[in-house]
Amino acid sequence: MPRPRSESARQAVLAAMRSAVVGEGYEALTIEGLAAEAGVSKQTIYRWWPTKAAILGEALVEGALPQAIPDPPTAEQPAADQPAPDLATELVNWLTGSAQQLGRAEGLGVARALIAVTASDPEVGAALNERLAAPVREWVQQRVELATARGEVREGVDAILLADHLIAFTAYAALTGAPQTESRIRATVTLLLTGIT
C-alpha cells in the first residue's frame, strides 16, 4: 500500500518550486535541488511526482505559483442603463495587466516555465496552457459577440483565434523579456482589430 503524502512535505516541495522558478528558472532546476530546498529526499519527490513538470502543474493548479497572465474581467452583460464596454479598450486593459504581471519576477518566471514545460513535456504543457488560456478565450468570445451585436464587429469573426493572438503576444513578451509599452500595446490591439471592425 503506497505511503500517504505528508502535507507539510508536499507544501515544502511546492514552495521550493516557486522559489526555483522565480530564482534560477524552471529549465535550470533539478529534482535534487528541489529536494534539498524542501528538506525531503529525492525518493520522496519521485514517489509523488514523476517529473518536475508534474510538480509545476500541481503548484499552478493549487495557486502555489502566481499566474502568468491575469484573469480576464468578469464577462457579464452591462446593465441596461450602463454604456457597453468598448472592445478595444478592454483588450488594451487586459494586455496592460499582462505586461505588468510579466514586469514582476514571479510572473515572468512562471510564464517562462510554462514555455519551457511545453517544449519539454508537450502533454503537461498543453494541459496547463489550456487551463490558463480557457478563461481568456471565453471572455474574448463573449466580448466579440457583444461587439458584433452592437454592429462594431462583422459577423463570423473567429474570437478564439483573436484570443490566441493576444495570448501569443504575452508569451512572446515573456520569452524576450522586452517591456511592452502602452503605445506598443495600443498599436497591437489596433492592428488586430483593423481586420474585424
Side-chain angles (χ1 to χ4, degrees):
M1 183 174 179
R3 185 183 305 172
R5 284 184 175 187
S6 159
E7 182 60 21
S8 61
R10 189 180 75 88
Q11 291 297 333
V13 172
L14 297 183
M17 171 60 77
R18 177 176 186 141
S19 177
V21 165
V22 176
E24 64 266 28
Y26 176 81
E27 289 184 297
L29 73 86
T30 63
I31 295 296
E32 291 83 355
L34 284 176
E37 176 73 17
V40 301
S41 70
K42 194 168 61 171
Q43 290 74 18
T44 294
I45 291 181
Y46 279 122
R47 188 182 307 122
W48 297 338
W49 296 281
T51 63
K52 66 180 186 178
I55 304 172
L56 177 72
E58 186 166 325
L60 281 167
V61 168
E62 293 208 358
L65 289 172
Q67 291 178 274
I69 55 177
D71 286 329
T74 304
E76 297 176 346
Q77 295 291 336
D81 59 344
Q82 295 294 319
D86 174 74
L87 178 61
T89 298
E90 289 199 298
L91 297 184
V92 166
N93 289 343
W94 184 80
L95 283 177
T96 299
S98 297
Q100 292 170 347
Q101 197 105 331
L102 294 175
R104 295 189 283 270
E106 288 190 340
L108 182 60
V110 172
R112 287 179 170 171
L114 281 171
I115 294 170
V117 79
T118 300
S120 64
D121 194 328
E123 186 175 347
V124 173
L128 287 174
N129 279 289
E130 179 59 30
R131 183 180 183 278
L132 295 172
V136 179
R137 290 185 179 131
E138 181 181 356
W139 170 70
V140 171
Q141 184 157 19
Q142 291 181 349
R143 286 318 189 202
V144 166
E145 289 173 357
L146 182 61
T148 302
R150 295 199 305 260
E152 297 177 4
V153 174
R154 64 173 169 79
E155 294 283 348
V157 168
D158 189 338
I160 302 304
L161 182 60
L162 173 61
D164 286 347
H165 276 79
L166 298 171
I167 294 167
F169 178 85
T170 63
Y172 184 72
L175 193 62
T176 62
Q180 302 305 308
T181 62
E182 180 182 352
S183 61
R184 180 174 173 79
I185 288 172
R186 290 188 179 280
T188 298
V189 170
T190 299
L191 186 63
L192 285 172
L193 295 185
T194 297
I196 65 172
T197 53

